[in-house]
Amino acid sequence: MTESKEELLAAARAAAEKAYSPYSKIRVGAALQAADGRVFAGCNVENASYGLTICAERAAATRAVMDGAREFRSLAIWASLDEPLPPCGACRQFLAEFGGDLAVVIEGAKGGRIETSLGELLPQAMGPDHIGG
Ligand code: THU
């Protein structure tokens, strides 16, 4: 099954409702579509020790890997901020582990969108090939 961009964004929006973000109060949801069509969602999970916060994108990716998915096609991100919230550097690197050929759509609460790709977000990424992986 292939989710459309709108369906993937809807999954990201639904995931954001699960956010645990008592400190920033920002809700973020990510929906990652695997090459086989499955969709894995994640939300941000904050911590009283702020630096331990896990972003929605990494939550989605770890969930996918746990379920055996390692090839991804597209990613939708939704955040409860007026403007689209681009993925942080850590999440870009984390996702690049699985290849840069990932379409990314990012939506803000006011409906504005950024359509890009992981390759654009993280050009010349360091990845498994560089370390013989
Ligand atoms: N956040 C994400 O979930 N993804 C990102 O790529 C950027 C930041 C979350 C982490 C924290 O809970 C809140 O947004 C503010 O940084």
Side-chain angles (χ1 to χ4, degrees):
M1 184 186 66
T2 301
E3 304 285 321
S4 72
K5 193 189 305 170
E6 301 308 322
E7 287 169 322
L8 209 56
L9 273 167
R13 244 178 263 124
E17 286 174 25
K18 305 278 176 59
Y20 175 74
S21 52
Y23 308 108
S24 75
K25 316 268 195 243
I26 299 168
R27 289 175 286 112
V28 187
L32 191 56
Q33 182 171 38
D36 64 11
R38 286 181 293 165
V39 172
F40 299 92
C43 63
N44 54 330
V45 182
E46 297 186 345
N47 191 277
S49 178
Y50 297 164
L52 297 182
T53 292
I54 297 175
C55 294
E57 297 87 334
R58 276 176 289 150
T62 50
R63 231 178 140 178
V65 170
M66 179 63 199
D67 276 1
R70 293 179 180 177
E71 278 180 56
F72 305 110
R73 186 187 290 163
S74 45
L75 170 70
I77 303 165
W78 187 90
S80 63
L81 294 167
D82 286 351
E83 302 302 323
L85 180 68
C88 76
C91 286
R92 295 178 198 204
Q93 178 65 35
F94 198 84
L95 291 164
E97 181 73 17
F98 306 103
D101 191 16
L102 185 70
V104 180
V105 58
I106 311 165
E107 190 181 72
K110 281 193 168 169
R113 283 186 192 177
I114 297 171
E115 300 210 22
T116 183
S117 67
L118 188 58
E120 260 178 24
L121 290 166
L122 190 65
Q124 299 183 39
M126 176 270 184
D129 291 348
H130 291 103
I131 56 168

